[in-house]
Amino acid sequence: MGGSEMALDRELRELARGAEFTATDEEVDRAIEEAAEELGESPESVRENVAYIMDSTFEEEGVSTSFNEMVSGTSLEDDVSSTGDPRLEALEMYKLRQRI
Amino acid sequence: MSQVLQSQYSGQRVDTGSKWYTLFQKGVELGTWNVEKLFDEIGFEQDRASWEALSQDERDQIRYLISGFLDGEREVAGDAATNLQRIMGAPCLDENTEKEMYMTMLTLTEHKHTQFLDVYMQEVMDDQDNYNDLDPRRGTRIPVVQATGLGEVFEHQGLLTAKAANTLNPVDIAKAATNYHLNVEGILARVGASAISRFPERADFPLLNYAFKFVSTDEGRHITHGIELLKELIEKEEAGNPQFQGVKQGIVETLYQDVPYMADFGYMFTDALDDPLGLDFNEVLMRGGNLIDGMYNETLGLDIDYMEVLNVVRDRYLEINEWDIKQRVHEQEQHYQRKRGVAADGGV
């Protein structure tokens, strides 16, 4: 598993109507590298799935509404138990998903 | 995400370039998280400790919110397995094979959500009667769900999806998809999830929080499916196909019919209990309005009349604010107890 069957866009964009990015790109890149090593997957595969967990829409130009309310939607900004950044939150969920 | 999703494989009967194939495949990869393994991984301990530390009023508020999800997940799972599965094979739709494949994944995840909620309530919230033993698909909803208008949305869902499964008519399918994927999954489920995100620090429920983030990820694919399905129907209407005329009007009408009862869900877990956790009914309504704008106006290009939405929600709020909600819930609890007696005697 790990998205190897599909070629996905790996760009992580801040979503319209979604939570603001709070971590730096470098922090996110480093966290993805570490997760990839931990999971035994390629960083590209992990990044693809982080992007997909944040937003599964097929819109070509950005999105008009965030499709993952608790991970990348504005709700994340209220979640005191979260990482606070939608990319890191999606990464946490992907790591947990791979364990269960 | 702006995606270039493409399988590296090709088949003959299955179009691996289809959007619905992609949704199916990503459902296989991300949607098959194991509920029992999540229980083992996170454990119930912290959730139980937090539950014990809350006041009775605060527990009731969470119980009401989760009750709405429990009945809702059971009803969407049932309608997906029966009516939506049949609709995906409708001659008026393209890519039937891939849509039918995807619907099996949608149904699986909805049943997993029910599995999580049912066990969670039993394990964490069993200090008083949760009214979660009878099946809403057989006519007995949890008392607070039936006492407020939330049950009306699920009733409408059953009627619309059954009709569409019977006629396979494009306008009927549009109405059913609007109620199910936009109103129930896209708005009700997301405003409920946003309320869980707003739990204060003293209401620390890590298992509930993680599970709902998985649910939220699954619902994202479901909403994408609904949006894409409605786009297909709208495109065919705008292309002038006579069979599809009335699709957009059907979508808008279904929102106006459901929206006052959708607002009841927010009322049910906030103002109906004086909102001890501060989940804020106005915040719930604002988030719902934002989601309506995003899905209906921006994504589908429809023209929802804000004033009409506000008016029907306000009229409904004025109506339910006059109710003795405790008395209504009590009456439904008595009804539930009678139904239990019938079930115990071998009936339904």
PDB file of all heavy atoms in Angstrom, chain B residues 12-41:
ATOM      1  N   GLN B  12     -10.077  -4.124 -19.138  1.00  0.00           N
ATOM      2  CA  GLN B  12     -10.986  -4.104 -20.278  1.00  0.00           C
ATOM      3  C   GLN B  12     -12.404  -3.758 -19.850  1.00  0.00           C
ATOM      4  O   GLN B  12     -13.049  -2.910 -20.441  1.00  0.00           O
ATOM      5  CB  GLN B  12     -10.948  -5.455 -20.994  1.00  0.00           C
ATOM      6  CG  GLN B  12      -9.582  -5.720 -21.624  1.00  0.00           C
ATOM      7  CD  GLN B  12      -9.594  -6.940 -22.505  1.00  0.00           C
ATOM      8  OE1 GLN B  12     -10.358  -7.026 -23.451  1.00  0.00           O
ATOM      9  NE2 GLN B  12      -8.734  -7.901 -22.185  1.00  0.00           N
ATOM     10  N   ARG B  13     -12.873  -4.393 -18.783  1.00  0.00           N
ATOM     11  CA  ARG B  13     -14.226  -4.084 -18.315  1.00  0.00           C
ATOM     12  C   ARG B  13     -14.233  -2.880 -17.383  1.00  0.00           C
ATOM     13  O   ARG B  13     -15.245  -2.213 -17.242  1.00  0.00           O
ATOM     14  CB  ARG B  13     -14.818  -5.285 -17.579  1.00  0.00           C
ATOM     15  CG  ARG B  13     -15.070  -6.461 -18.496  1.00  0.00           C
ATOM     16  CD  ARG B  13     -15.910  -7.510 -17.818  1.00  0.00           C
ATOM     17  NE  ARG B  13     -16.191  -8.579 -18.758  1.00  0.00           N
ATOM     18  CZ  ARG B  13     -16.989  -9.606 -18.498  1.00  0.00           C
ATOM     19  NH1 ARG B  13     -17.559  -9.708 -17.308  1.00  0.00           N
ATOM     20  NH2 ARG B  13     -17.215 -10.528 -19.401  1.00  0.00           N
ATOM     21  N   VAL B  14     -13.124  -2.661 -16.719  1.00  0.00           N
ATOM     22  CA  VAL B  14     -13.036  -1.563 -15.747  1.00  0.00           C
ATOM     23  C   VAL B  14     -12.176  -0.454 -16.341  1.00  0.00           C
ATOM     24  O   VAL B  14     -11.060  -0.706 -16.793  1.00  0.00           O
ATOM     25  CB  VAL B  14     -12.404  -2.057 -14.427  1.00  0.00           C
ATOM     26  CG1 VAL B  14     -12.255  -0.903 -13.447  1.00  0.00           C
ATOM     27  CG2 VAL B  14     -13.251  -3.171 -13.827  1.00  0.00           C
ATOM     28  N   ASP B  15     -12.718   0.763 -16.332  1.00  0.00           N
ATOM     29  CA  ASP B  15     -11.981   1.921 -16.841  1.00  0.00           C
ATOM     30  C   ASP B  15     -11.133   2.496 -15.709  1.00  0.00           C
ATOM     31  O   ASP B  15     -11.641   3.213 -14.841  1.00  0.00           O
ATOM     32  CB  ASP B  15     -12.960   2.961 -17.373  1.00  0.00           C
ATOM     33  CG  ASP B  15     -12.255   4.227 -17.850  1.00  0.00           C
ATOM     34  OD1 ASP B  15     -10.998   4.241 -17.859  1.00  0.00           O
ATOM     35  OD2 ASP B  15     -12.959   5.189 -18.199  1.00  0.00           O
ATOM     36  N   THR B  16      -9.844   2.199 -15.728  1.00  0.00           N
ATOM     37  CA  THR B  16      -8.977   2.652 -14.640  1.00  0.00           C
ATOM     38  C   THR B  16      -8.654   4.142 -14.748  1.00  0.00           C
ATOM     39  O   THR B  16      -8.010   4.700 -13.864  1.00  0.00           O
ATOM     40  CB  THR B  16      -7.668   1.846 -14.611  1.00  0.00           C
ATOM     41  OG1 THR B  16      -7.013   1.991 -15.888  1.00  0.00           O
ATOM     42  CG2 THR B  16      -7.931   0.379 -14.330  1.00  0.00           C
ATOM     43  N   GLY B  17      -9.115   4.782 -15.805  1.00  0.00           N
ATOM     44  CA  GLY B  17      -8.945   6.229 -15.932  1.00  0.00           C
ATOM     45  C   GLY B  17     -10.144   6.998 -15.383  1.00  0.00           C
ATOM     46  O   GLY B  17     -10.145   8.231 -15.362  1.00  0.00           O
ATOM     47  N   SER B  18     -11.180   6.291 -14.933  1.00  0.00           N
ATOM     48  CA  SER B  18     -12.401   6.933 -14.430  1.00  0.00           C
ATOM     49  C   SER B  18     -12.169   7.579 -13.062  1.00  0.00           C
ATOM     50  O   SER B  18     -11.427   7.057 -12.223  1.00  0.00           O
ATOM     51  CB  SER B  18     -13.505   5.871 -14.298  1.00  0.00           C
ATOM     52  OG  SER B  18     -14.545   6.304 -13.456  1.00  0.00           O
ATOM     53  N   LYS B  19     -12.816   8.717 -12.831  1.00  0.00           N
ATOM     54  CA  LYS B  19     -12.754   9.360 -11.512  1.00  0.00           C
ATOM     55  C   LYS B  19     -13.276   8.415 -10.435  1.00  0.00           C
ATOM     56  O   LYS B  19     -12.773   8.399  -9.306  1.00  0.00           O
ATOM     57  CB  LYS B  19     -13.604  10.634 -11.499  1.00  0.00           C
ATOM     58  CG  LYS B  19     -13.005  11.794 -12.260  1.00  0.00           C
ATOM     59  CD  LYS B  19     -13.929  12.995 -12.221  1.00  0.00           C
ATOM     60  CE  LYS B  19     -13.265  14.187 -12.915  1.00  0.00           C
ATOM     61  NZ  LYS B  19     -14.168  15.354 -12.965  1.00  0.00           N
ATOM     62  N   TRP B  20     -14.295   7.649 -10.788  1.00  0.00           N
ATOM     63  CA  TRP B  20     -14.882   6.759  -9.778  1.00  0.00           C
ATOM     64  C   TRP B  20     -13.965   5.577  -9.487  1.00  0.00           C
ATOM     65  O   TRP B  20     -13.964   5.052  -8.390  1.00  0.00           O
ATOM     66  CB  TRP B  20     -16.288   6.309 -10.210  1.00  0.00           C
ATOM     67  CG  TRP B  20     -17.275   7.363  -9.831  1.00  0.00           C
ATOM     68  CD1 TRP B  20     -17.916   7.479  -8.640  1.00  0.00           C
ATOM     69  CD2 TRP B  20     -17.656   8.509 -10.598  1.00  0.00           C
ATOM     70  NE1 TRP B  20     -18.683   8.617  -8.622  1.00  0.00           N
ATOM     71  CE2 TRP B  20     -18.551   9.265  -9.811  1.00  0.00           C
ATOM     72  CE3 TRP B  20     -17.346   8.967 -11.875  1.00  0.00           C
ATOM     73  CZ2 TRP B  20     -19.134  10.447 -10.258  1.00  0.00           C
ATOM     74  CZ3 TRP B  20     -17.922  10.141 -12.323  1.00  0.00           C
ATOM     75  CH2 TRP B  20     -18.802  10.877 -11.515  1.00  0.00           C
ATOM     76  N   TYR B  21     -13.167   5.195 -10.459  1.00  0.00           N
ATOM     77  CA  TYR B  21     -12.143   4.177 -10.187  1.00  0.00           C
ATOM     78  C   TYR B  21     -11.138   4.733  -9.173  1.00  0.00           C
ATOM     79  O   TYR B  21     -10.729   4.043  -8.238  1.00  0.00           O
ATOM     80  CB  TYR B  21     -11.434   3.769 -11.483  1.00  0.00           C
ATOM     81  CG  TYR B  21     -10.325   2.766 -11.248  1.00  0.00           C
ATOM     82  CD1 TYR B  21     -10.602   1.402 -11.170  1.00  0.00           C
ATOM     83  CD2 TYR B  21      -9.008   3.178 -11.060  1.00  0.00           C
ATOM     84  CE1 TYR B  21      -9.595   0.479 -10.916  1.00  0.00           C
ATOM     85  CE2 TYR B  21      -7.999   2.273 -10.798  1.00  0.00           C
ATOM     86  CZ  TYR B  21      -8.296   0.919 -10.732  1.00  0.00           C
ATOM     87  OH  TYR B  21      -7.287   0.017 -10.470  1.00  0.00           O
ATOM     88  N   THR B  22     -10.751   5.989  -9.373  1.00  0.00           N
ATOM     89  CA  THR B  22      -9.807   6.625  -8.445  1.00  0.00           C
ATOM     90  C   THR B  22     -10.400   6.688  -7.039  1.00  0.00           C
ATOM     91  O   THR B  22      -9.728   6.361  -6.047  1.00  0.00           O
ATOM     92  CB  THR B  22      -9.466   8.048  -8.921  1.00  0.00           C
ATOM     93  OG1 THR B  22      -8.859   7.962 -10.203  1.00  0.00           O
ATOM     94  CG2 THR B  22      -8.527   8.755  -7.950  1.00  0.00           C
ATOM     95  N   LEU B  23     -11.669   7.101  -6.935  1.00  0.00           N
ATOM     96  CA  LEU B  23     -12.317   7.163  -5.624  1.00  0.00           C
ATOM     97  C   LEU B  23     -12.369   5.774  -4.977  1.00  0.00           C
ATOM     98  O   LEU B  23     -12.145   5.619  -3.776  1.00  0.00           O
ATOM     99  CB  LEU B  23     -13.738   7.732  -5.756  1.00  0.00           C
ATOM    100  CG  LEU B  23     -13.859   9.244  -5.929  1.00  0.00           C
ATOM    101  CD1 LEU B  23     -15.277   9.626  -6.340  1.00  0.00           C
ATOM    102  CD2 LEU B  23     -13.470   9.977  -4.645  1.00  0.00           C
ATOM    103  N   PHE B  24     -12.664   4.771  -5.798  1.00  0.00           N
ATOM    104  CA  PHE B  24     -12.700   3.394  -5.287  1.00  0.00           C
ATOM    105  C   PHE B  24     -11.328   2.989  -4.775  1.00  0.00           C
ATOM    106  O   PHE B  24     -11.173   2.484  -3.653  1.00  0.00           O
ATOM    107  CB  PHE B  24     -13.146   2.442  -6.412  1.00  0.00           C
ATOM    108  CG  PHE B  24     -13.023   0.989  -6.064  1.00  0.00           C
ATOM    109  CD1 PHE B  24     -13.941   0.364  -5.234  1.00  0.00           C
ATOM    110  CD2 PHE B  24     -11.973   0.227  -6.575  1.00  0.00           C
ATOM    111  CE1 PHE B  24     -13.818  -0.982  -4.906  1.00  0.00           C
ATOM    112  CE2 PHE B  24     -11.842  -1.118  -6.251  1.00  0.00           C
ATOM    113  CZ  PHE B  24     -12.770  -1.717  -5.424  1.00  0.00           C
ATOM    114  N   GLN B  25     -10.304   3.232  -5.587  1.00  0.00           N
ATOM    115  CA  GLN B  25      -8.954   2.791  -5.234  1.00  0.00           C
ATOM    116  C   GLN B  25      -8.437   3.517  -3.993  1.00  0.00           C
ATOM    117  O   GLN B  25      -7.827   2.918  -3.112  1.00  0.00           O
ATOM    118  CB  GLN B  25      -8.018   3.019  -6.432  1.00  0.00           C
ATOM    119  CG  GLN B  25      -6.639   2.397  -6.270  1.00  0.00           C
ATOM    120  CD  GLN B  25      -6.679   0.888  -6.084  1.00  0.00           C
ATOM    121  OE1 GLN B  25      -7.632   0.221  -6.499  1.00  0.00           O
ATOM    122  NE2 GLN B  25      -5.663   0.354  -5.419  1.00  0.00           N
ATOM    123  N   LYS B  26      -8.696   4.836  -3.924  1.00  0.00           N
ATOM    124  CA  LYS B  26      -8.248   5.564  -2.731  1.00  0.00           C
ATOM    125  C   LYS B  26      -9.072   5.138  -1.509  1.00  0.00           C
ATOM    126  O   LYS B  26      -8.582   5.186  -0.381  1.00  0.00           O
ATOM    127  CB  LYS B  26      -8.337   7.078  -2.937  1.00  0.00           C
ATOM    128  CG  LYS B  26      -7.390   7.617  -4.013  1.00  0.00           C
ATOM    129  CD  LYS B  26      -5.944   7.200  -3.804  1.00  0.00           C
ATOM    130  CE  LYS B  26      -5.261   7.856  -2.627  1.00  0.00           C
ATOM    131  NZ  LYS B  26      -3.827   7.467  -2.558  1.00  0.00           N
ATOM    132  N   GLY B  27     -10.297   4.728  -1.736  1.00  0.00           N
ATOM    133  CA  GLY B  27     -11.104   4.175  -0.645  1.00  0.00           C
ATOM    134  C   GLY B  27     -10.495   2.883  -0.119  1.00  0.00           C
ATOM    135  O   GLY B  27     -10.434   2.643   1.091  1.00  0.00           O
ATOM    136  N   VAL B  28     -10.014   2.045  -1.031  1.00  0.00           N
ATOM    137  CA  VAL B  28      -9.357   0.799  -0.625  1.00  0.00           C
ATOM    138  C   VAL B  28      -8.114   1.134   0.202  1.00  0.00           C
ATOM    139  O   VAL B  28      -7.850   0.517   1.242  1.00  0.00           O
ATOM    140  CB  VAL B  28      -8.981  -0.037  -1.864  1.00  0.00           C
ATOM    141  CG1 VAL B  28      -8.096  -1.216  -1.470  1.00  0.00           C
ATOM    142  CG2 VAL B  28     -10.237  -0.530  -2.585  1.00  0.00           C
ATOM    143  N   GLU B  29      -7.339   2.126  -0.254  1.00  0.00           N
ATOM    144  CA  GLU B  29      -6.079   2.448   0.420  1.00  0.00           C
ATOM    145  C   GLU B  29      -6.289   3.144   1.766  1.00  0.00           C
ATOM    146  O   GLU B  29      -5.634   2.825   2.748  1.00  0.00           O
ATOM    147  CB  GLU B  29      -5.223   3.356  -0.471  1.00  0.00           C
ATOM    148  CG  GLU B  29      -4.689   2.670  -1.714  1.00  0.00           C
ATOM    149  CD  GLU B  29      -3.811   3.595  -2.528  1.00  0.00           C
ATOM    150  OE1 GLU B  29      -3.271   4.560  -1.971  1.00  0.00           O
ATOM    151  OE2 GLU B  29      -3.678   3.359  -3.738  1.00  0.00           O
ATOM    152  N   LEU B  30      -7.188   4.129   1.787  1.00  0.00           N
ATOM    153  CA  LEU B  30      -7.304   4.977   2.980  1.00  0.00           C
ATOM    154  C   LEU B  30      -8.543   4.675   3.816  1.00  0.00           C
ATOM    155  O   LEU B  30      -8.595   5.012   4.997  1.00  0.00           O
ATOM    156  CB  LEU B  30      -7.326   6.457   2.576  1.00  0.00           C
ATOM    157  CG  LEU B  30      -6.052   6.976   1.892  1.00  0.00           C
ATOM    158  CD1 LEU B  30      -6.259   8.397   1.382  1.00  0.00           C
ATOM    159  CD2 LEU B  30      -4.862   6.929   2.845  1.00  0.00           C
ATOM    160  N   GLY B  31      -9.555   4.077   3.206  1.00  0.00           N
ATOM    161  CA  GLY B  31     -10.837   3.915   3.906  1.00  0.00           C
ATOM    162  C   GLY B  31     -10.990   2.601   4.636  1.00  0.00           C
ATOM    163  O   GLY B  31     -12.009   2.366   5.287  1.00  0.00           O
ATOM    164  N   THR B  32      -9.994   1.733   4.544  1.00  0.00           N
ATOM    165  CA  THR B  32     -10.145   0.424   5.191  1.00  0.00           C
ATOM    166  C   THR B  32      -9.407   0.374   6.528  1.00  0.00           C
ATOM    167  O   THR B  32      -8.922  -0.680   6.933  1.00  0.00           O
ATOM    168  CB  THR B  32      -9.640  -0.705   4.253  1.00  0.00           C
ATOM    169  OG1 THR B  32      -8.327  -0.374   3.802  1.00  0.00           O
ATOM    170  CG2 THR B  32     -10.547  -0.858   3.055  1.00  0.00           C
ATOM    171  N   TRP B  33      -9.301   1.528   7.180  1.00  0.00           N
ATOM    172  CA  TRP B  33      -8.765   1.529   8.546  1.00  0.00           C
ATOM    173  C   TRP B  33      -9.620   0.602   9.418  1.00  0.00           C
ATOM    174  O   TRP B  33     -10.836   0.528   9.259  1.00  0.00           O
ATOM    175  CB  TRP B  33      -8.726   2.957   9.102  1.00  0.00           C
ATOM    176  CG  TRP B  33     -10.001   3.718   9.020  1.00  0.00           C
ATOM    177  CD1 TRP B  33     -10.518   4.338   7.907  1.00  0.00           C
ATOM    178  CD2 TRP B  33     -10.943   3.952  10.075  1.00  0.00           C
ATOM    179  NE1 TRP B  33     -11.722   4.932   8.207  1.00  0.00           N
ATOM    180  CE2 TRP B  33     -12.004   4.716   9.535  1.00  0.00           C
ATOM    181  CE3 TRP B  33     -10.986   3.605  11.419  1.00  0.00           C
ATOM    182  CZ2 TRP B  33     -13.103   5.135  10.286  1.00  0.00           C
ATOM    183  CZ3 TRP B  33     -12.073   4.009  12.176  1.00  0.00           C
ATOM    184  CH2 TRP B  33     -13.111   4.761  11.610  1.00  0.00           C
ATOM    185  N   ASN B  34      -8.931  -0.068  10.331  1.00  0.00           N
ATOM    186  CA  ASN B  34      -9.571  -1.136  11.093  1.00  0.00           C
ATOM    187  C   ASN B  34     -10.063  -0.575  12.434  1.00  0.00           C
ATOM    188  O   ASN B  34      -9.255  -0.175  13.280  1.00  0.00           O
ATOM    189  CB  ASN B  34      -8.553  -2.260  11.308  1.00  0.00           C
ATOM    190  CG  ASN B  34      -9.145  -3.481  11.967  1.00  0.00           C
ATOM    191  OD1 ASN B  34     -10.016  -3.367  12.830  1.00  0.00           O
ATOM    192  ND2 ASN B  34      -8.662  -4.653  11.581  1.00  0.00           N
ATOM    193  N   VAL B  35     -11.367  -0.552  12.619  1.00  0.00           N
ATOM    194  CA  VAL B  35     -11.953   0.056  13.824  1.00  0.00           C
ATOM    195  C   VAL B  35     -11.430  -0.626  15.092  1.00  0.00           C
ATOM    196  O   VAL B  35     -11.061   0.038  16.068  1.00  0.00           O
ATOM    197  CB  VAL B  35     -13.497  -0.019  13.761  1.00  0.00           C
ATOM    198  CG1 VAL B  35     -14.111   0.445  15.080  1.00  0.00           C
ATOM    199  CG2 VAL B  35     -14.030   0.821  12.606  1.00  0.00           C
ATOM    200  N   GLU B  36     -11.387  -1.941  15.094  1.00  0.00           N
ATOM    201  CA  GLU B  36     -10.935  -2.647  16.300  1.00  0.00           C
ATOM    202  C   GLU B  36      -9.461  -2.367  16.586  1.00  0.00           C
ATOM    203  O   GLU B  36      -9.054  -2.270  17.749  1.00  0.00           O
ATOM    204  CB  GLU B  36     -11.208  -4.146  16.169  1.00  0.00           C
ATOM    205  CG  GLU B  36     -12.692  -4.478  16.192  1.00  0.00           C
ATOM    206  CD  GLU B  36     -12.972  -5.913  16.576  1.00  0.00           C
ATOM    207  OE1 GLU B  36     -12.008  -6.672  16.803  1.00  0.00           O
ATOM    208  OE2 GLU B  36     -14.159  -6.289  16.650  1.00  0.00           O
ATOM    209  N   LYS B  37      -8.657  -2.234  15.517  1.00  0.00           N
ATOM    210  CA  LYS B  37      -7.243  -1.893  15.745  1.00  0.00           C
ATOM    211  C   LYS B  37      -7.106  -0.467  16.277  1.00  0.00           C
ATOM    212  O   LYS B  37      -6.193  -0.182  17.049  1.00  0.00           O
ATOM    213  CB  LYS B  37      -6.442  -2.066  14.456  1.00  0.00           C
ATOM    214  CG  LYS B  37      -6.129  -3.515  14.130  1.00  0.00           C
ATOM    215  CD  LYS B  37      -5.144  -3.620  12.979  1.00  0.00           C
ATOM    216  CE  LYS B  37      -4.769  -5.077  12.722  1.00  0.00           C
ATOM    217  NZ  LYS B  37      -3.862  -5.204  11.553  1.00  0.00           N
ATOM    218  N   LEU B  38      -8.001   0.422  15.845  1.00  0.00           N
ATOM    219  CA  LEU B  38      -7.980   1.786  16.406  1.00  0.00           C
ATOM    220  C   LEU B  38      -8.280   1.741  17.901  1.00  0.00           C
ATOM    221  O   LEU B  38      -7.637   2.450  18.693  1.00  0.00           O
ATOM    222  CB  LEU B  38      -8.991   2.692  15.681  1.00  0.00           C
ATOM    223  CG  LEU B  38      -9.026   4.138  16.166  1.00  0.00           C
ATOM    224  CD1 LEU B  38      -7.726   4.871  15.807  1.00  0.00           C
ATOM    225  CD2 LEU B  38     -10.221   4.891  15.584  1.00  0.00           C
ATOM    226  N   PHE B  39      -9.256   0.923  18.296  1.00  0.00           N
ATOM    227  CA  PHE B  39      -9.544   0.755  19.730  1.00  0.00           C
ATOM    228  C   PHE B  39      -8.282   0.298  20.468  1.00  0.00           C
ATOM    229  O   PHE B  39      -7.949   0.811  21.537  1.00  0.00           O
ATOM    230  CB  PHE B  39     -10.651  -0.287  19.952  1.00  0.00           C
ATOM    231  CG  PHE B  39     -12.018   0.131  19.473  1.00  0.00           C
ATOM    232  CD1 PHE B  39     -12.910  -0.820  18.976  1.00  0.00           C
ATOM    233  CD2 PHE B  39     -12.430   1.453  19.528  1.00  0.00           C
ATOM    234  CE1 PHE B  39     -14.183  -0.454  18.551  1.00  0.00           C
ATOM    235  CE2 PHE B  39     -13.697   1.830  19.095  1.00  0.00           C
ATOM    236  CZ  PHE B  39     -14.574   0.876  18.608  1.00  0.00           C
ATOM    237  N   ASP B  40      -7.570  -0.685  19.877  1.00  0.00           N
ATOM    238  CA  ASP B  40      -6.360  -1.218  20.523  1.00  0.00           C
ATOM    239  C   ASP B  40      -5.247  -0.172  20.557  1.00  0.00           C
ATOM    240  O   ASP B  40      -4.508  -0.076  21.535  1.00  0.00           O
ATOM    241  CB  ASP B  40      -5.858  -2.459  19.775  1.00  0.00           C
ATOM    242  CG  ASP B  40      -6.851  -3.611  19.838  1.00  0.00           C
ATOM    243  OD1 ASP B  40      -7.724  -3.588  20.730  1.00  0.00           O
ATOM    244  OD2 ASP B  40      -6.773  -4.514  18.989  1.00  0.00           O
ATOM    245  N   GLU B  41      -5.113   0.583  19.474  1.00  0.00           N
ATOM    246  CA  GLU B  41      -4.010   1.545  19.341  1.00  0.00           C
ATOM    247  C   GLU B  41      -4.170   2.727  20.302  1.00  0.00           C
ATOM    248  O   GLU B  41      -3.217   3.139  20.957  1.00  0.00           O
ATOM    249  CB  GLU B  41      -3.964   2.055  17.892  1.00  0.00           C
ATOM    250  CG  GLU B  41      -2.906   3.092  17.603  1.00  0.00           C
ATOM    251  CD  GLU B  41      -1.515   2.493  17.396  1.00  0.00           C
ATOM    252  OE1 GLU B  41      -1.410   1.269  17.224  1.00  0.00           O
ATOM    253  OE2 GLU B  41      -0.558   3.270  17.423  1.00  0.00           O
TER     254      GLU B  41
END
